[in-house]
């Protein structure tokens, strides 16, 4: 019998921001703001970043660390409720190889005058590429960077 | 604090077919065959069934039980490996309301001269709509119906 070619995993990250849900939501909805915390960073080059933020829309980003392989993220927005939630599916491509497909849920909960963001990723890692620990670590870093943008 | 608006769940169904992987794969890849086990059925009306079966392509189906509400399935194919696997994201809409977004993995494993199909669904149920038990029961029924087509 052949082996399964896909490994599934789920992780959840919670992060509390001082900013209210509308401001956190805008950091996902506004391409200029999202680009800052999602694609840019010291030592990174953004080759493309195109966003059509609506249920049924898509987002494509191409980026790389200086000297590193080309990386790509193709996102489909599946369900968007303003100031409340964003459910999307995305694949990651590294050096021409698709390494994963994921369902990502951003749920925004009012907490005092701020926001509790609950990010749930249900991931399928392809052909032994990538693993849940590194994916989760990457998202923790992104969501901290989001804090610098909305609270900073 | 507000409540989360999304409930996440994962289920796995295995089904063994006498048909080899290439034949089972074709039942997903060929729109005429897929329509038979996926959309048609006694007491059901298919209002639309459009398929662009490729990584990055999409599938849209609209169907209803006679006298029942309009139902819709919008699928994005995220990763297809011929005769091996299909990873897709799909949303379900009932009577105009989006009830879920899911990542579905079909993994085809050769088993003797037949196929072990492992279907993994990682689902996000929206606003208390639908539940994992009914979703899993629906897929068990579909995968049995697939057997009637490929082994029948």
């Amino acid at each position: 019998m052949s082996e399964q070619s896909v490994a599934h995993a789920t992780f959840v990250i919670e992060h509390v921001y001082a900013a209210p849900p509308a401001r956190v939501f805008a950091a996902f909805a506004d391409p200029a703001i999202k680009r800052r915390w999602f694609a840019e960073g010291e030592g990174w080059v953004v080759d493309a970043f195109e966003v059509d933020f609506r249920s049924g829309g898509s987002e494509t980003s191409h980026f790389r660390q200086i000297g590193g392989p080309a990386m790509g993220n193709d996102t489909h927005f599946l369900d968007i409720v303003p100031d409340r939630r964003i459910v999307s599916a995305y694949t990651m491509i590294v050096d021409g190889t698709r390494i994963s497909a994921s369902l990502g849920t951003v749920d925004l909960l009012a907490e005092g005058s701020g926001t509790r963001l609950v990010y749930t990723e249900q991931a399928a890692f392809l052909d032994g590429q990538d693993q849940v620990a590194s994916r989760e670590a990457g998202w923790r870093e992104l969501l901290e960077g989001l804090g610098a943008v909305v609270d900073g």
Side-chain angles (χ1 to χ4, degrees), chain A:
Chain A
M1 193 175 108
S2 52
E3 298 279 321
Q4 284 193 48
S5 67
V6 183
H8 298 89
T10 297
F11 63 88
V12 181
I13 302 172
E14 302 203 6
H15 200 107
V16 176
Y17 302 99
R23 187 169 164 81
V24 177
F25 181 81
F28 288 86
D30 182 323
I33 306 176
K34 184 167 183 189
R35 182 183 169 118
R36 283 176 57 197
W37 64 269
F38 187 73
E40 295 180 349
E42 207 174 312
W44 287 85
V45 178
V46 180
D47 294 312
F49 189 69
E50 292 164 20
V51 184
D52 178 15
F53 187 79
R54 58 180 176 84
S55 297
S58 61
E59 177 184 290
T60 301
S61 51
H62 294 162
F63 45 90
R64 58 195 153 87
Q65 276 189 300
I66 293 169
M71 302 177 69
N73 174 312
D74 285 315
T75 294
H76 293 280
F77 298 112
L78 303 178
D79 184 76
I80 294 174
V81 179
D83 304 343
R84 189 59 174 106
R85 72 166 174 251
I86 303 156
V87 183
S88 54
Y90 77 97
T91 55
M92 285 293 300
I93 294 169
V94 177
D95 209 11
T97 299
R98 196 175 295 114
I99 65 169
S100 67
S102 301
L103 191 74
T105 300
V106 173
D107 212 345
L108 302 177
L109 290 70
E111 186 162 289
S113 58
T115 306
R116 179 177 295 273
L117 184 157
V118 182
Y119 178 69
T120 304
E121 178 157 329
Q122 296 162 290
F125 297 108
L126 309 174
D127 304 312
Q129 305 281 337
D130 211 347
Q131 292 182 20
V132 66
S134 62
R135 180 61 55 92
E136 182 172 345
W139 269 100
R140 284 191 186 278
E141 201 172 321
L142 284 172
L143 293 176
E144 274 176 33
L146 171 59
V149 169
V150 297
D151 294 340

